[in-house]
Amino acid sequence: MKETALYIHIPFCDHKCIYCDFYSIITYENTSSYLQSLKKEISFYAEKYNDDRKIISIYFGGGTPSFMEPEYISEIIEHVKQNFVLAENPEITLETNPGTVDKQKLENFNRAGINRISIGIQSFNEDELKFLTRIHDAQTAIKTVCDATKAGFANINIDLIFNLPGQTKQKWLNNLDEALRLPITHLSAYSLILEHGTILNKMVLDGKVKMQSDDYDAELYEITIDHLTQKGFEQYEVSNFALQGYECMHNNAYWRYKDYLSFGTSAHSFVNGKRWWNFSSVKFYNDAVSKNGNGIAGEEILTKEEMLDEYVMLALRSSGLDMNELEKLFGRSWLIKNQNYISRLIEQKFLTLTSTLLKFTSKGYAVCDEILAKLK
Amino acid sequence: MQNIRNFCIVAHIDHGKSTIADGLLEFTHTISQREAKEQLLDSLDLERERGITIKSHAIQMKYSAQDGNTYTLNLIDTPGHVDFSYEVSRSLAACEGAILVVDAAQGVEAQTISNLYMAIDAGLDILPVVNKIDLPSAMVDVVKKQIIDLIGCKDEDIILASAKTRAGIEQILEAVVQKIPPPVGNENAPLQALVFDSVFDSYRGAVAYIRVVNGTIKEKDEITFFASGKKYLAEEVGTLRMARIKTGELKAGNVGYLIAGVKELHDTKVGDTVTHTRGGALNPLPGYKDIKPMVFSGLYPTDSDDYENLRDALDKYRLNDSALSFVPETSAALGFGFRCGFLGMLHMEIVQERLEREFDQSIVTTLPNVEYWVSKKDGSKIIVDNPAEMPLQGDIEKVEEPYVKAQIVTPSEYVGNLMQLAIEKRGVYKNTTYIDPTRADIQFEFPLSEIIFDFYDKLKSISRGYASFDYEYIGYRESDLVKLDIMLNGEKVDALSIIVHEKKAYTWGQKVCTKLKDLIPRQMFEIAIQAAIGTKVISRTNIKALRKNVLAKCYGGDITRKRKLLEKQKEGKKRMKQVGNVEIPQEAFLAVLQIED
């Protein structure tokens, strides 16, 4: 059976944070029409791809999915169950923001079928939270994690951001330590990215905010990797760390080049070598779904070379490139072309080779894009 | 022959040579006013943009003079830049007189003097003209005085003109007829025709522009070019008006064109003599020189896959410009390319620009250099036109470099600045003549290598644009020259090596190192940048290793974007040049060309 992951986008947010470039909207007017579209789209693809698939993961991303009522989420999960075959223990994740949930609401999510919570904490420092224009304070963040545990969640991720303007190494270490004191199984630590079209980008362009240097970013990144690995969190992707057995199945589906179907605004799907993406606006999406059953705004059919490039990029960015598997899928030519460069990278300790698996060292992860660009 | 006049116009750049020519053509109804709007004699776009003539051309006019006779006037245009001074000399040799044009607002300038001297040396009669007298800033009397001092003519000999209002044009034509002597020559003597220019016609091959000095050339004549010794059949002979006018023959004293099925411009060399294969002249006309390139530079395709394309473009280009020379060369840094020889810096710029504009080539060039004579300790002597070929420092007995005599005309208040600049450029002061109390004509000797680079720009900037400059080649002299190498992580970047005066090596090395530090992106290892003479490092700096370059997020919605970004980065890397492990962007090579010495 073909393992497939499902992504469901919930675009609604309480407000827009300065660094965010995701598609999100600050109105709740369309929530019910959106729900109808989602269900219609799910049915559409369940019929189209009824070719012996089982769903290993469902991921609610946003936006702020936790802002929705548990019934809303429950209705979607039930609809998925009715239309697709689910694996035995599918991972079902809900992105959650502190300040949008209490223990009761979390219990209800749990009852609705959610078994993994991903909490967008970003920082435990009040000044940093204010700078990021988050709606919560540090105390609420901590409480949300504890409430999730009490509500029955054993698999909890938190997101943190480093290299914030003015962030000292000590401040960042404090954030990491605070996180490690909590009952979490997974941590995503992102270096602050300046995305086009964000408020932060404008602030930087206007000279109101100064980003820190790449070298400093590198130092913080190194500290992060050292600190987390020492505490038993294994790095399995550029920005992702997990206790053994708690790697995110959904993320791994992306990175191991499995098929994924995605529903909702701006969602990207990838099935049988074809990728497509939906309209970003709720209105366009709703209109398209009611007309066509799907919300497709664009698509690409990947060439063999593009697939190879993506496969290598995703594997190296995450838990490593298995050379046997690569050869099975794409033949030997890539290995032959890059043999010399790869040996040099191993020699210089950017890569390790264990049996047939090529994996970045922490030094290698840090310059991943530079290395990828040099591969032929 | 009594009614033929062959003449040219000499002037400093922008003093109105082309507009005076237009005025003459229009007055004689050779062209209409509308056609005159475009300065006809400068036909390449580039020439028009730069306001200079690169190739000379000729045009014939019929003029009904006040004495009642109709005259055939051949106006031979001359290139306006020192890079083409040999071509100028051949054009002058085709004339009996020259109109000297001086701008009423600018006065006598360096090229006025150098071109005038060339004309006088060629034995031409000079007709002085003060142009642009309608300008509010015209200083007619001052300029007249300068001209009188310069050529010793009488006040009333100077014609006052304005090409713009057409004032003085008829006077010029009358003076041409009355004061310039008709050609002398014997139309029955053995044929001697001077090639003063040649152009390439895609249908007809090389078209030679000739001045028949003796004899008569007719279509179907069997002819020989003295320099190449090659024989051809004269297919078509005629005169030059707006188009070629086929006349079937050209007699002594006249100017026109010759088409003889010559496939390459190389075989119609400027300065060569055409004669009849049978019963021809025993000797060629004097003054033929095989022109040699003075400035050399490596030309490389930006993308190494385009090497063959660049070769084709150069081959085609040379059909129109026999002065360009090129041979294949290989650089460890830049790959396969060509070492090209140019007449001078302007010629080099023109070739590069035309290759890019007209032949759609994207090229990287190396620092230009001159040709050095190197005597080795083992007694052998070699000619070096590429720093990479310089022998090891320890094997060199002495190095000689070409020198030029330069003439600089400047308002006297800038003499101090000029002296300063001359010292920086290793100039040797010779003497000063005052053209008038406010303008000095100063002569120096310079190593050619010092003035091919940024000398002209600097001269303009120290004199607020007022100083002008001209030079001629005078020979080789010994100098303390060294080869300076640039190394990245111990590997020489051959394309950045230069031959430089010992005293300037340190500053140059430092500037290149700093520039490279700015332009070479950080890589996964530290890069040491060094400038060295032989094994002695004289300047160094380093680029720290790249420590972080990774996109933090790459989930389902990011993959396409990330792949496209990666494809772009790979494309960028492909365009980088590689020395050892170090990747060098093309801009680094170009930036070195911009460094001020």
Side-chain angles (χ1 to χ4, degrees), chain A residues 190-191 215 217-219 222 238-240 251 254-255 260 268 275 300 302 309-310 313 317 345 365-375, chain B residues 522-525 544-567 569-570 573 578 581 583:
Chain A
Y190 300 109
S191 170
D215 280 353
D217 185 32
E219 282 176 41
E222 213 175 287
V238 171
S239 305
N240 284 281
N251 288 348
Y254 293 142
W255 301 331
Y260 49 93
H268 284 59
R275 184 173 291 120
E300 60 176 356
L302 300 173
D309 276 352
E310 288 188 354
M313 163 181 93
R317 278 186 62 92
L345 290 171
Y365 275 121
V367 289
C368 167
D369 288 1
E370 177 76 13
I371 291 171
L372 288 171
K374 288 197 74 165
L375 289 168
Chain B
R522 292 173 69 179
Q523 288 162 41
M524 280 157 49
F525 39 83
K544 284 197 282 175
L546 172 76
R547 292 187 53 192
K548 189 150 186 258
N549 177 17
V550 59
L551 190 71
K553 288 188 181 182
C554 189
Y555 298 104
D558 306 309
I559 296 170
T560 299
R561 185 169 65 138
K562 175 73 186 134
R563 186 195 72 239
K564 287 189 173 155
L565 196 69
L566 191 62
E567 284 163 1
Q569 286 165 336
K570 282 190 176 178
K573 294 248 182 234
Q578 187 129 7
N581 283 344
E583 290 173 327

Side-chain angles (χ1 to χ4, degrees), chain B residues 411-430:
Chain B
S412 37
E413 66 254 50
Y414 304 118
V415 170
N417 293 350
L418 174 62
M419 292 296 175
Q420 191 70 43
L421 176 63
I423 292 168
E424 277 172 37
K425 297 290 183 183
R426 299 195 281 138
V428 180
Y429 170 75
K430 297 312 272 188

Side-chain angles (χ1 to χ4, degrees), chain B residues 42 113 123 148 157 173 205 234 263 308 360 370 410 423 443 452 515 580 585 587:
Chain B
D42 297 349
I113 301 172
I148 293 166
D157 290 336
L173 288 163
K263 290 201 180 58
E308 289 301 329
D360 205 22
V370 298
T410 175
I423 292 168
Q443 306 213 331
I452 57 173
K515 199 74 167 189
E587 301 86 74

Side-chain angles (χ1 to χ4, degrees), chain A residues 228-264:
Chain A
L228 291 175
T229 16
Q230 267 174 32
K231 299 287 158 82
F233 281 80
E234 200 178 328
Q235 181 173 24
Y236 74 104
E237 197 254 1
V238 171
S239 305
N240 284 281
F241 302 82
L243 293 177
Q244 205 177 4
Y246 286 94
E247 290 92 358
C248 174
M249 288 166 72
H250 190 82
N251 288 348
N252 275 335
Y254 293 142
W255 301 331
R256 292 185 185 155
Y257 230 44
K258 292 197 171 141
D259 284 358
Y260 49 93
L261 276 166
S262 301
F263 312 106

Side-chain angles (χ1 to χ4, degrees), chain B residues 468-519:
Chain B
S468 58
F469 154 72
D470 210 341
Y471 66 85
E472 64 179 283
Y473 168 70
I474 50 172
Y476 272 73
R477 291 188 191 166
E478 187 177 345
S479 292
D480 291 327
L481 296 166
V482 292
K483 180 187 171 203
L484 181 71
D485 294 313
I486 303 296
M487 296 188 293
L488 295 176
N489 280 353
E491 298 250 8
K492 266 183 213 165
V493 187
D494 54 2
L496 294 178
S497 293
I498 66 162
I499 293 166
V500 64
H501 193 264
E502 207 179 5
K503 288 203 175 99
K504 295 186 158 193
Y506 175 75
T507 326
W508 177 263
Q510 211 172 25
K511 282 180 178 165
V512 175
C513 289
T514 313
K515 199 74 167 189
L516 292 178
K517 186 185 164 91
D518 287 347
L519 287 169

